[in-house]
Amino acid sequence: MNYPVMKRICLLLACLSPYIFSHAQTPVRSGELPSHLRSFINEISYQPLGDAKPVIRYESVSKNIWKVSLVWILKDSVRQDDWKIIIHPTYKSIFHWAPHLTPTDDHIIAQHVFRAPALITASAQKQISVIPDLDILQKTQPVGWYMDMNAVKGDMVLGMSLSSVKEHTLFVRKSGALYPPGKIEFGFYILAEENPADLFDPWRKLDSFFWKKWGSVLYAANQPLGRKDLEPYAAYTYNWAFNSWKKAVWQDIDLAGKKVGGTVFIVNTTQSPNYPGKVNEREFRSVWNQAWFSSLRSAEGLYRYARRTGNKQLMGYAVKTKELALSFPQKNGFFDALIATDMEQVTEDEKVYNRSKGWGSHYFGNSDRNPYTFDTRKAPYHVLDMSFTASLMLDWYRELEKDPRLLTYATAFGNALIKIQRADGFFPAWLSIEDLQPMDKLNQSPETSMSVTFLLKLYRATKNIKYKTAALKAMEAVIKTDIPEGRWEDFETYWSCSRYGSKELVGKKVERNDMFKQNNFSMYWTAQAMLIAYQTTKNKNYLKYGQRTLDELLMTQACWQPPYIYVNALGGFGVMNGDGEWNDARQSLFAELILDYGKLLNKEEYTERGLAALRASFVMMYCPENARTKEQWEERWKFFGREDYGFMMENYGHGGVTGIKGEGIGEFTIYDWGNGAAAEAYNRIRDHYGEAFILSH
């Protein structure tokens, strides 16, 4: 083919109609861009799809939003491993954002993680955001969609390709794509902005667009549960934990004659009353008070429920859990995050099983989700975990019981905490259990934000100005260092199941994406700290940065229902730009914070999003009310029955794969990061906002 001749033909066709494209064997420039976009985009390059000519249409949605659609009519099947479209901005970008990492040219952002899919690039004056057309993607597509961000080249990429999982959980292209004869559609939206306010918060208009176009419509149809009354889910939770599964879940513990207790860290399907085989405990038997798995947080929800329903037995379990938290010994104010038993392997019927030696072998320790050791006995103190637990103690003291021991315990930690504050305002992440000295990882991390929240609560409780002074110094450090670059690094970012980058990326951006590996936990703690800082000082700068952080967090919330996600998804959250979860249990933590911003800013979108997050917290529960989810559980675990109502995996599609036959469904429940956490959020929000609020929105 004579390329110069073909190029002249393409230009002629572009002049005759901006809707007709060339199908040359190399990417070519599109037809004329709308005039408004020419100052933002140099060109849009398209690859061919077989020999068919695409038809393109630009449709003005509003002054700054354009809808772009491409249509091919294929006469025959087309085998093509990759098709893509590349958008080339006119400016040199100093800011890049994408929902997932693509560290090499082989990686793509597969549609599996399209919760609120977008690409953003910006200079100091201009910003382009690109959103795949989810109306098209909601129809079953022959080949999956993807995105990519190449910050080095300045390319924003959309495309179609099969994908597979690499690392945990990143995606790469996979060969074998086949397009059948007939109509093939692809499309996207372009948002172009020059307003300085929009550039400060690059996610606000995107969040609004996603929710108005897709999320709010589903919300109005009572998604994701099909109901607003959440009381049955709380009842299932507590019946499961303290009745049908009590033998596995509730732990009575004797600490030198003191009767305490708590809910076990994790149980799996082999512990079901309906399981036909023998119990094999998935992990070491333990009770946690950590930023993820918090028995004290769950107990606060149980206390609220027991108080409301007059259930003395459940109240007893809640109080025993509080007593356990107060029994953790303090070392100069610092304290451990878990109590555990020794484990052993036993052989029965020529099979090996993991079993506990019982609470007579108990020891205190810390989370194995850290960069130093997997041994919980040797694991360092985690400042984040201590601040989270001490903050919960202050909540219990303020709202549930005026137990002076809670304030005393929290104050001892607060006094120790302010002594280890760094000169730059941050708090170190980990402390050696031997000498209490700061260790070397994440010492300028937004984990600090959780300590800000705790210290400001302690200031409210004691009126001691030293806690407020330390908290605001730390808040300014996070504003200056972490927020501008999106440095959302915390323990989960690198030292949980998604360990990609834990050796080479800590404190560094992925060069190809110009982004840190990010976790939305850090965003939550920071938005929460900003809100309480604003409430304490009335300094609007905290509210401004808090809303910006919240809006970034909301880009990890599902705002539509993909056809390839086989449970209801609206309102549920993912985790980070290097993992695959849908409907993760963190949404129960996030829900009230979103509602609080909605109330303060009088923003209905936030109110809907907060309640959608709360309702999504129960979507993964196995129970008759969740017919679609129940079907998936029974596809995976055929023996499940009535006694298992309330069982709830912490998320869905964690490994990046889903399917109609139960793929994406897990095999365990963490009460404190699943059903117990969801019930706590419901009971707390019900106490704070009222039952009528939950039922009327």
Side-chain angles (χ1 to χ4, degrees):
M1 181 179 291
N2 187 317
Y3 182 75
V5 172
M6 188 63 193
K7 183 176 181 180
R8 287 195 294 273
I9 293 172
C10 291
L11 292 174
L12 177 60
L13 290 172
C15 292
L16 292 173
S17 170
Y19 306 134
I20 300 178
F21 280 70
S22 165
H23 62 291
Q25 294 306 302
T26 56
V28 297
R29 184 181 178 189
S30 74
E32 285 291 320
L33 287 169
S35 58
H36 179 72
L37 294 178
R38 292 174 193 166
S39 65
F40 293 87
I41 298 174
N42 270 329
E43 66 172 358
I44 302 179
S45 300
Y46 302 81
Q47 284 188 329
L49 186 60
D51 292 327
K53 295 180 179 180
V55 174
I56 187 168
R57 294 184 182 274
Y58 289 95
E59 177 185 343
S60 177
V61 177
S62 66
K63 178 183 176 182
N64 297 315
I65 302 177
W66 289 83
K67 179 180 180 180
V68 186
S69 59
L70 292 89
V71 175
W72 295 263
I73 303 299
L74 302 182
K75 295 181 179 179
D76 298 302
S77 296
V78 172
R79 293 187 179 277
Q80 184 169 318
D81 289 341
D82 186 33
W83 175 88
K84 61 187 171 185
I85 177 173
I86 306 174
I87 298 172
H88 307 272
T90 59
Y91 50 82
K92 182 173 177 58
S93 301
I94 59 173
F95 172 83
H96 301 84
W97 188 89
H100 217 69
L101 295 176
T102 54
T104 72
D105 289 344
D106 293 330
H107 286 89
I108 58 175
I109 304 168
Q111 67 182 25
H112 177 83
V113 291
F114 279 21
R115 302 175 193 91
L119 302 172
I120 308 173
T121 65
S123 67
Q125 294 82 31
K126 297 179 185 294
Q127 175 180 308
I128 296 173
S129 305
V130 180
I131 298 172
D133 188 341
L134 302 183
D135 288 331
I136 298 175
L137 192 53
Q138 277 180 324
K139 308 170 187 176
T140 301
Q141 300 296 314
V143 178
W145 289 18
Y146 73 85
M147 302 187 297
D148 186 21
M149 173 71 78
N150 190 327
V152 176
K153 291 183 178 180
D155 292 345
M156 306 170 77
V157 181
L158 301 171
M160 296 184 285
S161 172
L162 301 181
S163 66
S164 61
V165 177
K166 187 178 180 182
E167 294 97 11
H168 182 98
T169 304
L170 303 180
F171 299 89
V172 293
R173 293 177 185 83
K174 185 173 73 172
S175 62
L178 175 66
Y179 299 85
K183 184 179 181 181
I184 303 295
E185 296 180 87
F186 192 86
F188 55 96
Y189 292 86
I190 299 174
L191 283 67
E193 299 293 344
E194 295 178 284
N195 187 326
D198 296 326
L199 298 178
F200 172 78
D201 184 349
W203 303 281
R204 173 82 303 268
K205 284 196 173 180
L206 287 176
D207 285 328
S208 178
F209 181 84
F210 276 116
W211 198 254
K212 182 177 180 180
K213 182 160 182 58
W214 292 293
S216 191
V217 176
L218 292 173
Y219 182 84
N222 278 337
Q223 288 295 317
L225 290 176
R227 61 186 295 141
K228 297 179 180 180
D229 179 14
L230 304 181
E231 191 74 6
Y233 296 101
Y236 280 127
T237 296
Y238 298 134
N239 181 67
W240 176 85
F242 303 106
N243 183 18
S244 63
W245 276 61
K246 180 183 177 181
K247 181 179 178 181
V249 176
W250 176 253
Q251 306 294 305
D252 278 310
I253 304 171
D254 188 321
L255 295 179
K258 184 179 181 181
K259 305 298 183 182
V260 298
T263 44
V264 75
F265 162 44
I266 194 167
V267 292
N268 63 29
T269 53
T270 73
Q271 294 167 279
S272 165
N274 293 310
Y275 181 64
K278 295 184 178 181
V279 170
N280 186 34
E281 296 189 52
R282 189 178 191 271
E283 297 191 36
F284 63 106
R285 189 178 298 182
S286 51
V287 178
W288 292 49
N289 277 320
Q290 183 243 8
W292 264 348
F293 319 129
S294 172
S295 64
L296 186 61
R297 177 193 166 204
S298 299
E300 290 190 7
L302 183 63
Y303 188 105
R304 294 178 190 277
Y305 183 84
R307 180 175 62 184
R308 185 172 73 247
T309 60
N311 191 317
K312 293 182 180 180
Q313 184 180 29
L314 293 183
M315 181 64 78
Y317 294 132
V319 172
K320 274 189 172 183
T321 307
K322 179 198 71 172
E323 293 298 330
L324 174 61
L326 287 169
S327 299
F328 277 53
Q330 287 184 287
K331 182 177 181 180
N332 294 345
F334 301 112
F335 55 95
D336 293 310
L338 61 86
I339 183 171
T341 73
D342 287 331
M343 302 296 290
E344 62 182 346
Q345 290 189 329
V346 299
T347 301
E348 298 178 7
D349 300 328
E350 299 182 348
K351 293 183 179 180
V352 178
Y353 299 91
N354 196 38
R355 301 278 172 78
S356 168
K357 289 185 177 181
W359 286 104
S361 66
H362 78 266
Y363 64 90
F364 292 97
N366 288 290
S367 170
D368 52 3
R369 277 70 169 177
N370 69 76
Y372 306 105
T373 177
F374 288 105
D375 187 340
T376 54
R377 283 183 172 87
K378 298 178 181 178
Y381 291 119
H382 193 189
V383 173
L384 169 74
D385 294 344
M386 292 184 283
S387 288
F388 186 77
T389 299
S391 179
L392 289 171
M393 288 183 173
L394 294 178
D395 291 343
W396 195 305
Y397 177 78
R398 185 179 70 254
E399 298 187 30
L400 304 182
E401 291 180 296
K402 281 287 189 284
D403 184 337
R405 297 174 300 161
L406 293 166
L407 182 58
T408 299
Y409 195 104
T411 301
F413 169 65
N415 290 333
L417 178 64
I418 60 176
K419 291 178 182 178
I420 62 169
Q421 187 170 26
R422 292 160 46 103
D424 60 9
F426 285 97
F427 294 100
W430 284 279
L431 305 177
S432 165
I433 57 174
E434 284 83 20
D435 58 14
L436 303 182
Q437 291 301 302
M439 302 182 78
D440 63 341
K441 295 290 194 301
L442 294 190
N443 286 329
Q444 289 185 312
S445 162
E447 285 191 351
T448 282
S449 296
M450 186 64 245
S451 294
V452 171
T453 296
F454 160 67
L455 287 171
L456 289 176
K457 288 182 181 180
L458 187 58
Y459 164 69
R460 289 180 176 182
T462 65
K463 307 304 179 186
N464 192 324
I465 195 68
K466 68 180 181 180
Y467 304 126
K468 176 183 175 182
T469 301
L472 296 182
K473 181 180 180 181
M475 194 81 275
E476 292 297 329
V478 173
I479 290 174
K480 178 182 178 181
T481 304
D482 294 326
I483 292 179
E485 290 194 299
R487 191 172 174 178
W488 303 118
E489 298 179 305
D490 55 57
F491 77 94
E492 187 183 24
T493 316
Y494 297 110
W495 297 290
S496 178
C497 53
S498 178
R499 295 202 167 217
Y500 171 77
S502 60
K503 294 182 179 179
E504 71 279 4
L505 281 181
V506 181
K508 299 177 182 178
K509 287 185 175 182
V510 175
E511 182 180 5
R512 188 176 180 277
N513 302 137
D514 187 35
M515 292 180 67
F516 287 95
K517 192 181 182 196
Q518 300 174 330
N519 184 29
N520 61 12
F521 233 167
S522 293
M523 301 174 198
Y524 163 72
W525 297 319
T526 300
Q528 180 188 47
M530 290 291 181
L531 181 60
I532 193 171
Y534 167 73
Q535 292 169 334
T536 304
T537 66
K538 301 306 178 185
N539 183 336
K540 290 187 177 180
N541 200 48
Y542 293 133
L543 182 59
K544 177 183 175 182
Y545 275 97
Q547 185 179 10
R548 181 190 192 271
T549 304
L550 180 72
D551 286 337
E552 186 171 4
L553 171 70
L554 293 177
M555 291 296 293
T556 66
Q557 184 181 33
C559 63
W560 69 303
Q561 181 61 52
Y564 47 84
I565 298 297
Y566 300 99
V567 297
N568 294 340
L570 181 72
F573 276 84
V575 172
M576 66 178 84
N577 58 7
D579 221 334
E581 295 96 334
W582 288 73
N583 289 343
D584 191 79
R586 68 200 57 226
Q587 58 224 359
S588 64
L589 264 180
F590 297 173
E592 188 172 20
L593 178 67
I594 305 168
L595 292 174
D596 289 345
Y597 271 93
K599 181 179 180 180
L600 180 63
L601 298 171
N602 192 28
K603 200 165 192 62
E604 183 66 18
E605 177 198 327
Y606 289 164
T607 298
E608 291 185 359
R609 283 179 175 273
L611 287 172
L614 177 62
R615 292 162 187 166
S617 301
F618 293 103
V619 162
M620 295 310 298
M621 182 176 285
Y622 177 69
C623 63
E625 284 77 359
N626 293 343
R628 196 176 185 206
T629 307
K630 183 173 181 286
E631 182 179 353
Q632 290 296 298
W633 278 112
E634 291 171 353
E635 284 285 351
R636 181 76 190 274
W637 307 109
K638 306 294 186 183
F639 54 84
F640 264 28
R642 179 180 297 273
E643 294 80 6
D644 301 301
Y645 290 167
F647 189 95
M648 190 169 85
M649 178 69 183
E650 65 180 78
N651 53 45
Y652 175 75
H654 184 182
V657 177
T658 60
I660 194 65
K661 294 295 184 181
E663 299 92 336
I665 291 288
E667 55 94 26
F668 62 84
T669 284
I670 300 172
Y671 173 81
D672 297 321
W673 195 240
N675 48 12
E680 184 277 328
Y682 162 64
N683 290 316
R684 169 170 36 88
I685 291 171
R686 178 171 169 149
D687 277 3
H688 291 170
Y689 279 82
E691 181 185 19
F693 174 85
I694 295 174
L695 296 177
S696 64
H697 283 77

